[in-house]
Amino acid sequence: MAISILLLDDHAVVRDGLQALLGAQPDLRVTGSFGNSADAIRFASESPPDVAILDITLPGLDAIEAAKHIPDLCPATQILMLSMHASPEFVYQSLRAGASGYVLKESAGDELVAAVRAVHAGERFVSEKIPAKTLDAYTRERAADHPLERLSPRELQVMKLIVEGSTSNEVAALLGVSPKSVDTYRSRLMTKLAIDDMPGLVKFAIRYGMTSV
């Protein structure tokens, strides 16, 4: 039986290209293709795919958050992140969120096909252009005394959204909380990080690979 695949990428051209690439394989079948997380999560809950390929940088609810939701709805689905970022922080966040694989867009092709088969078989797959030793060293450092470890998962969500330009009202709508709660999270996380202003927070987020803006 063919491996069923869900695609999530906000660029239609990319989705079409991936669908053509994967569909050309006799053992792979794309069953859903979406441009936003909400539609992809809804589809996954109704028709669980074997593998979900998620573009890590999406507007609104990003792939890291989608990766946290999908296993709750369809535990058997394996998550594979597709990204243009080789930063160890993006890989770390992806694996921590529940992804089984991480492939760079520049390497998409035969490597993506191999990654789909690997994660479906229960194996971890990380793009060859991200050295395993570098990732392992970063993971050890991150687990030891890393500034981002001071933040709760919700504070990490809020930080990522606000440094990418979302207003308190927009963040509140995406996360299902009040704007006042968003302001509280922002104040609390900035205190924990000893950062006094937004420019400083943006620089911090870029430094630690939370955003590329």
Side-chain angles (χ1 to χ4, degrees):
M1 183 179 294
I3 300 170
S4 59
I5 301 168
L6 178 153
L7 295 177
L8 172 58
D9 192 296
D10 60 325
H11 294 99
V13 173
V14 174
R15 293 198 306 275
D16 291 345
L18 293 176
Q19 187 158 357
L21 168 71
L22 298 169
Q25 307 301 314
D27 60 332
L28 307 181
R29 179 169 58 94
V30 176
T31 55
S33 179
F34 302 92
N36 66 80
S37 295
D39 288 342
I41 291 172
R42 188 178 304 111
F43 177 86
S45 68
E46 297 171 352
S47 304
D50 294 318
V51 176
I53 300 176
L54 314 180
D55 175 15
I56 199 169
T57 49
L58 293 166
L61 185 68
D62 65 18
I64 297 290
E65 296 310 313
K68 295 175 182 176
H69 287 289
I70 290 176
D72 292 334
L73 300 170
C74 36
T77 297
Q78 300 299 316
I79 307 295
L80 178 60
M81 292 296 192
L82 187 62
S83 173
M84 62 181 180
H85 303 291
S87 163
E89 177 61 23
F90 278 93
V91 185
Y92 176 84
Q93 287 288 343
S94 296
L95 299 178
R96 190 183 184 199
S100 299
Y102 191 98
V103 175
L104 294 176
K105 284 189 173 181
E106 64 185 74
S107 304
D110 290 343
E111 188 174 66
L112 180 62
V113 171
V116 169
R117 292 172 178 150
V119 299
H120 180 252
E123 303 169 9
R124 190 178 91 163
F125 189 102
V126 176
S127 184
E128 292 182 358
K129 293 192 176 182
I130 302 173
K133 288 184 178 180
T134 301
L135 180 58
D136 290 342
Y138 183 83
T139 300
R140 288 194 297 272
E141 174 194 340
R142 187 74 159 71
D145 184 25
H146 195 287
L148 291 177
E149 292 296 335
R150 304 170 195 166
L151 305 182
S152 69
R154 179 48 59 90
E155 287 166 348
L156 286 169
Q157 287 179 316
V158 170
M159 181 176 76
K160 188 174 189 310
L161 289 169
I162 61 178
V163 298
E164 290 181 345
S166 296
T167 65
S168 292
N169 287 339
E170 290 169 339
V171 175
L174 285 167
L175 301 183
V177 299
S178 70
K180 184 176 180 180
S181 293
V182 173
D183 292 338
T184 299
Y185 283 123
R186 177 172 52 195
S187 175
R188 187 185 302 158
L189 71 88
M190 290 178 72
T191 298
K192 287 182 179 180
L193 298 175
I195 294 174
D196 299 323
D197 53 32
M198 277 302 298
L201 187 61
V202 172
K203 289 179 182 178
F204 174 91
I206 293 173
R207 177 184 177 187
Y208 288 99
M210 289 295 291
T211 182
S212 57
V213 297

